[in-house]
Amino acid sequence: MNKTIFFAFLFIQNMIFAQSSERDLSSEKWQFRNSEDKTWFPAKIPGTVHLDLMNNKVIPDPFRDENEKKVQWVENTDWDYQMSFTVSSKEIEFQNAELIFNGLDTFSEIYLNGQLLGKTDNMFRKWPFQVKQYLKAGKNTVQIKFKSAVNTGKELAKKVPFTVPESPRSFVRKAQYQFGWDWGPRLVTAGIWKEVKLIFWNTAKIENIKVEQRNISDKKADLYIHASIFADKEGEYAISANGKTEAVHLKRGQNQVNIPFNIRNPKLWQPNGWGDPHLYTLKIALHKDSKLISEETAKIGLRTVELIQEKDEKGKSFYFKVNGRPLYIKGTNWIPADSFSPRITKEKYHKLIKDSREANMNMIRIWGGGIYEDDEFYKACDENGILVWQDFMFAGSFYPADETFLNNVKEEVRDQVNRLQNHPSIALWCGNNEIDEAIVNWGYQKQFKYSENDSLQVWKDYKKLFHDVIPDALKENLTPDKNIYWPSSPSIGWGHKESLTEGDSHYWGVWWGEQPFEIYNEKAGRFMSEYGFQGMPTLETTKSMFSGTPDLTLQNPVIKVHEKHPRGWDIINEYLKRDYRIPADFVQYNYMSQLLQARGMQIAIEAHRRAKPYNMGTLYWQLNDCWPVVSWSSIDYLGNWKAFHYQAKRSFEPVLISVLENDKNYDVYLVSDLTNELKSETKFELIDFTGKILWKAEQSDLLNADFSKKIRSISKTELARFDLSKAVLKISSEKDVTFEKLFFFNKPKDIKLSKPEIRIKRISATEIEISTDILAKDIYLMGDTHFSDNFFDLLPGASKRIVISKPLENVEVMSLWNVMKD
């Protein structure tokens, strides 16, 4: 940077400071206390009361041992937070001062220098206060008094004449998962969970920017930038977008300014697998008398998204069209990555999204029982080409619809939509998770002995909230190109046949219904937005459940309490007996439970993809965890890939080979998500476990883009002379497209394995090569590092190179033979 540019930069910054100044009060010295005590302790903001109590050694870590039950008293307690800060004589001269709380959890009273500024009742809202009249030069004090959300919720519940399921969580606008779920602990928090800002400004300021896409062609993208500006003084101003300036007249108060803007030869934002998720930076600046007084920056991507639902002979389609083309959705469901969300780091967000991209995903559904995630989550999705299905934060219960509650929700929607809508990753806004289904299918009305009027009131309240208030708020706050709304996920419960012929489906016949994995082959709906199976976390994460030396036995009460499903262990063991065996050794059990989960999900994903284009989306439950736990996740709490995530990466490959057995044949399907046609020289080889080829065939296929097709049926009579319990079908291609599939004819417990000699050769400090003398099934590499591949099968004569994230002196190895041997 030359001197002229440098001094011009300083000059501009000084001009901005003359018109505005921002203080981050989060970094000041905060204190907290139990409202009934006099002793103050240091607090960290953003944070939660549980984290502050842990930092001050008042409570143990609830993630470890059986400590969760020792901290339940926290949710019933009121808490005070306070902080003092200094205002300079220059700051006090500003015409406006605004104290902004970006997140308060949940019921609070806010005082500045003893003056009540207001009360809060929603964790998901932004709370700004005009404080010019209350500030003074020198020392100022902020105090926030938090009321117990549990106790407040109970009081609100008393106003309803019938029992509401999951009460009192339905009555409080805070993260619902904090009240406990079948994968998460009960840790109902309070505190200042997002940043606190003090903003001084003169004349006018830009409050919000919305970027609307009108028309996009190869040559030009026509945009409208809608700027919300609050002016303290009426007059003539100038507003610019990336240097293009227009004169505007602003009245005193709120103003809406529309700026036409175009981009020549635009580059589209493409989802993962289709190309580059290109982003543009827009800088919006407001000037008065040639002085820069306010500016905002937005990162946008140019893309179109449509939700297509058209009637057909089998029901009604449900698919996303992106940039004018149908996109087969491959992805997962997201829950908050920590029970204490303020400690989810930028790095953790980006790693989980990167891990999703590496597993060939193109969509994540943010589940409605958590939080609207931090900006870093959406930024990571923007940068990695991951579309977002955004639930609003309502899940699995009945919700009130009184005027106060509805107005609160309306403001919540406004705040979140204004914050998030410019992100190109957001594809759809969904009203809730499983509430339509809960009302219709879960039997709460009978359980709680509702009258007919009670039941009618529940449905009336549901319609008001999810069919009127939320969609109306979206229309008011979204630009038209971004308003895709779906009232409830799923649209029809999994026990009804229509759930597989239209809308999106949560299929829980496997796990909850305890149906065999193979039922997935019959239950592929139009869009599968939830399904799943549990597996244990990795050994490293399992050990983190203990504060001392871990005792890794299934009977250990610490292990048991880190399984939140009431029948979780019984269901896992039942499925293990069907497909594997139940080992007594803990390490082997951990390994087998992961293999079981991966096997079930492989069957599901392949069934969904084979059904393309009838089925156009598969989002498994779930990507991540909020604490160390036995759960449906593919990545555990510490960020380690379970066997399932390695399998998901394989099952989501752009080109998939899948084999479906029926009474007479083994049908081979080739599924492609590629945008171009390809030629396949496909080899079919029946190989015994020593590497001997028993049978083979070849064929050439010209395959269309974006398709699913049965390319061969292999008759069972053709293979009848071979012992298929000692053989594997290898399907591969090396022309135009490269793929390899190993298909085993029997369930794992019925495969006749022999002891393999697995060799590990060190190529470099961060690369190893694996080989074997005979078939090694489900090779499990163990060590304190991340392996680029794991839980894989390997034939004799083949080898696989593995990259490791950090050097490792010793790599331990196990295969299915170690567990299944007699």
Side-chain angles (χ1 to χ4, degrees):
M1 182 182 292
N2 63 42
K3 288 184 178 180
T4 302
I5 295 174
F6 176 73
F7 284 116
F9 174 78
L10 287 182
F11 178 66
I12 290 172
Q13 293 303 305
N14 286 333
M15 286 197 299
I16 296 173
F17 183 77
Q19 298 298 322
S20 65
S21 177
E22 181 176 303
R23 296 266 300 274
D24 182 5
L25 298 187
S26 309
S27 58
E28 300 288 344
K29 293 183 178 180
W30 286 84
Q31 297 176 304
F32 82 108
R33 70 178 181 184
N34 183 323
S35 295
E36 297 180 356
D37 296 338
K38 294 182 179 179
T39 304
W40 291 89
F41 295 94
K44 183 179 179 182
I45 308 301
T48 73
V49 68
H50 289 81
L51 292 175
D52 290 330
L53 289 167
M54 278 189 277
N55 291 337
N56 287 279
K57 303 188 185 307
V58 178
I59 63 171
D61 185 346
F63 285 13
R64 296 180 182 271
D65 304 324
E66 297 178 75
N67 292 337
E68 177 197 352
K69 60 188 176 185
K70 296 178 181 179
V71 304
Q72 294 305 303
W73 62 272
V74 175
E75 69 179 39
N76 297 307
T77 306
D78 299 338
W79 301 94
D80 297 340
Y81 279 74
Q82 72 175 20
M83 174 272 297
S84 294
F85 62 99
T86 301
V87 174
S88 69
S89 56
K90 286 186 177 180
E91 289 172 324
I92 210 71
E93 292 175 1
F94 278 93
Q95 297 160 7
N96 298 279
E98 196 171 9
L99 183 59
I100 300 174
F101 297 90
N102 284 303
L104 294 173
D105 181 12
T106 294
F107 297 96
S108 74
E109 295 178 351
I110 304 168
Y111 296 86
L112 175 61
N113 296 330
Q115 176 67 45
L116 177 64
L117 297 181
K119 299 180 180 181
T120 73
D121 58 359
N122 192 321
M123 177 181 178
F124 304 124
R125 284 176 59 183
K126 181 178 179 180
W127 297 95
F129 298 96
Q130 301 299 325
V131 295
K132 169 68 175 176
Q133 60 182 316
Y134 306 124
L135 286 176
K136 57 187 179 182
K139 183 180 177 182
N140 293 261
T141 300
V142 173
Q143 188 173 44
I144 308 173
K145 294 180 174 292
F146 289 98
K147 292 291 184 182
S148 161
V150 171
N151 293 337
T152 305
K154 288 177 180 177
E155 291 301 313
L156 292 169
K158 291 177 182 178
K159 299 179 181 180
V160 177
F162 50 83
T163 301
V164 174
E166 305 294 339
S167 184
R169 72 169 171 86
S170 306
F171 294 89
V172 297
R173 292 309 301 139
K174 72 186 270 89
Q176 304 284 274
Y177 80 111
Q178 295 176 354
F179 292 82
W181 226 266
D182 55 7
W183 39 257
R186 183 180 175 101
L187 295 166
V188 186
T189 64
I192 307 167
W193 75 291
K194 288 197 171 185
E195 300 85 357
V196 181
K197 303 285 187 180
L198 179 60
I199 298 175
F200 300 95
W201 58 278
N202 293 326
T203 314
K205 71 166 183 171
I206 301 170
E207 291 190 325
N208 183 252
I209 296 168
K210 303 176 185 178
V211 182
E212 178 185 359
Q213 299 175 176
R214 292 284 180 92
N215 295 293
I216 301 176
S217 67
D218 292 340
K219 295 182 179 180
K220 189 175 69 166
D222 294 321
L223 312 178
Y224 265 83
I225 300 169
H226 305 284
S228 177
I229 302 172
F230 192 92
D232 196 46
K233 293 181 180 180
E234 183 171 0
E236 304 306 316
Y237 293 77
I239 189 166
S240 65
N242 284 13
K244 179 185 176 184
T245 303
E246 290 194 5
V248 292
H249 179 85
L250 300 182
K251 67 179 187 296
R252 192 170 188 275
Q254 200 70 46
N255 296 263
Q256 297 295 325
V257 176
N258 302 318
I259 312 166
F261 187 81
N262 61 67
I263 297 173
R264 298 288 179 182
N265 304 314
K267 296 179 180 179
L268 295 182
W269 183 93
Q270 299 285 9
N272 186 33
W274 275 13
D276 176 41
H278 188 81
L279 297 171
Y280 289 92
T281 300
L282 295 180
K283 292 185 178 181
I284 314 302
L286 183 66
H287 297 78
K288 175 68 172 171
D289 300 329
S290 300
K291 292 182 179 180
L292 177 62
I293 59 174
S294 182
E295 67 177 353
E296 293 289 334
T297 299
K299 277 237 175 183
I300 67 165
L302 303 177
R303 91 292 182 274
T304 61
V305 177
E306 303 167 76
L307 176 61
I308 307 299
Q309 297 183 81
E310 297 174 337
K311 289 185 178 180
D312 56 30
E313 68 280 4
K314 295 180 180 179
K316 186 188 291 185
S317 67
F318 189 105
Y319 68 92
F320 290 90
K321 187 181 285 188
V322 179
N323 297 331
R325 291 186 293 160
L327 174 67
Y328 188 88
I329 295 298
K330 299 179 290 189
T332 185
N333 286 258
W334 171 283
I335 66 168
D338 202 296
S339 288
F340 307 121
S341 53
R343 70 176 176 188
I344 307 173
T345 63
K346 171 183 176 180
E347 290 74 21
K348 187 166 190 176
Y349 275 122
H350 282 265
K351 181 185 182 300
L352 284 168
I353 300 305
K354 178 175 174 287
D355 289 346
S356 302
R357 185 198 70 204
E358 288 186 1
N360 301 299
M361 299 183 197
N362 55 29
M363 179 177 276
I364 289 175
R365 172 179 173 244
I366 298 185
W367 168 74
I371 60 174
Y372 306 95
E373 293 293 340
D374 187 82
D375 292 340
E376 284 297 334
F377 171 90
Y378 303 94
K379 179 175 182 285
C381 289
D382 293 345
E383 293 171 351
N384 287 279
I386 305 295
L387 292 163
V388 175
W389 170 311
Q390 177 68 61
D391 278 7
F392 287 99
M393 294 301 117
F394 302 88
S397 184
F398 304 165
Y399 287 82
D402 58 89
E403 185 177 359
T404 299
F405 189 87
L406 294 179
N407 286 336
N408 199 356
V409 170
K410 185 176 180 180
E411 292 302 310
E412 172 187 323
V413 173
R414 182 183 66 83
D415 285 354
Q416 294 301 331
V417 165
N418 283 338
R419 178 173 72 96
L420 299 175
Q421 70 169 290
N422 290 327
H423 288 282
S425 54
I426 294 186
L428 175 142
W429 307 87
C430 179
N432 67 76
N433 170 78
E434 295 185 346
I435 297 178
D436 187 311
E437 180 173 7
I439 294 172
V440 174
N441 292 337
W442 291 1
Y444 283 135
Q445 295 89 332
K446 183 178 180 180
Q447 178 183 346
F448 295 116
K449 299 179 180 178
Y450 282 16
S451 68
E452 184 177 351
N453 285 337
D454 293 339
S455 296
L456 289 173
Q457 187 63 48
V458 167
W459 190 245
K460 181 180 177 182
D461 290 348
Y462 173 84
K463 290 279 192 176
K464 184 68 175 175
L465 180 55
F466 297 109
H467 289 260
D468 294 335
V469 170
I470 291 179
D472 288 349
L474 289 175
K475 289 177 185 177
E476 291 176 14
N477 294 284
L478 280 173
T479 57
D481 57 307
K482 300 186 178 72
N483 191 1
I484 301 177
Y485 178 68
W486 187 241
S488 184
S489 179
S491 48
I492 303 170
W494 64 266
H496 301 268
K497 64 179 182 179
E498 294 83 5
S499 69
L500 299 177
T501 62
E502 61 183 86
D504 72 311
S505 176
H506 294 190
Y507 182 70
W508 286 104
V510 171
W511 184 266
W512 282 99
E514 299 187 41
Q515 293 289 322
F517 289 143
E518 289 73 21
I519 198 72
Y520 282 128
N521 293 322
E522 304 170 21
K523 301 292 184 179
R526 309 311 291 258
F527 192 100
M528 307 303 291
S529 49
E530 266 196 36
Y531 58 92
F533 195 88
Q534 284 196 353
M536 290 197 74
T538 60
L539 289 171
E540 179 191 4
T541 300
T542 304
K543 292 174 183 177
S544 77
M545 299 173 183
F546 296 82
S547 57
T549 303
D551 175 20
L552 298 182
T553 62
L554 290 172
Q555 292 71 38
N556 190 295
V558 173
I559 301 290
K560 288 185 176 180
V561 300
H562 284 78
E563 160 65 272
K564 284 297 182 180
H565 191 282
R567 295 194 59 251
W569 294 114
D570 292 337
I571 295 173
I572 291 171
N573 287 339
E574 173 59 31
Y575 277 86
L576 273 174
K577 285 189 290 185
R578 295 176 189 177
D579 287 3
Y580 293 89
R581 64 172 57 175
I582 304 175
D585 176 77
F586 183 86
V587 174
Q588 292 185 353
Y589 186 95
N590 179 282
Y591 164 66
M592 291 286 273
S593 81
Q594 291 192 54
L595 290 183
L596 179 72
Q597 180 189 28
R599 171 176 162 78
M601 294 300 92
Q602 177 185 7
I603 293 171
I605 294 170
E606 290 191 10
H608 301 160
R609 294 189 67 188
R610 283 197 309 268
K612 175 183 179 179
Y614 178 85
N615 170 276
M616 283 298 289
T618 178
L619 302 175
Y620 68 79
W621 184 268
Q622 66 206 65
L623 176 69
N624 57 319
D625 285 323
C626 66
W627 76 318
V629 65
V630 182
S631 84
W632 294 265
S633 71
S634 62
I635 299 177
D636 68 25
Y637 175 68
L638 295 184
N640 301 306
W641 288 25
K642 294 158 69 170
F644 175 19
H645 203 76
Y646 287 102
Q647 182 56 52
K649 180 179 180 179
R650 294 188 278 266
S651 294
F652 284 152
E653 286 283 355
V655 176
L656 171 74
I657 288 288
S658 179
V659 182
L660 180 63
E661 179 183 2
N662 57 43
D663 291 340
K664 295 182 179 180
N665 302 313
Y666 297 102
D667 292 335
V668 181
Y669 288 78
L670 199 155
V671 184
S672 173
D673 294 329
L674 299 177
T675 57
N676 58 294
E677 66 179 23
L678 51 91
K679 188 174 183 181
S680 168
E681 298 289 345
T682 308
K683 294 181 180 179
F684 303 84
E685 298 171 300
L686 184 67
I687 303 173
D688 73 13
F689 293 166
T690 67
K692 181 181 177 181
I693 298 176
L694 307 175
W695 169 93
K696 64 181 179 179
E698 293 186 15
Q699 68 183 52
S700 298
D701 294 287
L702 181 63
L703 305 170
N704 296 326
D706 195 22
F707 75 103
S708 172
K709 180 181 179 181
K710 181 166 66 176
I711 60 172
R712 191 179 187 96
S713 285
I714 302 173
S715 170
K716 287 186 174 180
T717 58
E718 194 171 357
L719 304 180
R721 65 186 185 275
F722 304 112
D723 183 353
L724 297 183
S725 67
K726 295 182 178 180
V728 60
L729 179 64
K730 177 184 176 183
I731 306 167
S732 61
S733 173
E734 296 179 357
K735 182 166 185 178
D736 279 5
V737 62
T738 300
F739 55 75
E740 180 177 300
K741 171 79 171 186
L742 297 182
F743 173 75
F744 292 87
F745 297 88
N746 299 84
K747 290 186 174 184
K749 68 178 182 180
D750 298 321
I751 299 173
K752 296 177 182 177
L753 297 170
S754 299
K755 182 180 180 180
E757 182 182 330
I758 300 171
R759 295 178 290 272
I760 301 176
K761 179 182 178 183
R762 194 172 300 277
I763 304 300
S764 69
T766 56
E767 189 174 11
I768 57 177
E769 184 177 79
I770 314 297
S771 59
T772 179
D773 60 336
I774 61 174
L775 172 89
K777 181 153 182 55
D778 299 313
I779 292 174
Y780 176 28
L781 304 173
M782 292 174 278
D784 184 21
T785 189
H786 174 73
F787 298 94
S788 60
D789 200 3
N790 210 342
F791 302 94
F792 54 85
D793 304 326
L794 195 61
L795 288 168
S799 63
K800 181 182 282 285
R801 289 200 172 191
I802 305 292
V803 175
I804 57 179
S805 60
K806 61 182 179 181
L808 200 64
E809 286 189 15
N810 183 43
V811 176
E812 296 183 64
V813 64
M814 179 189 298
S815 72
L816 189 61
W817 177 85
N818 296 91
V819 185
M820 303 300 289
K821 63 184 178 181
D822 294 325

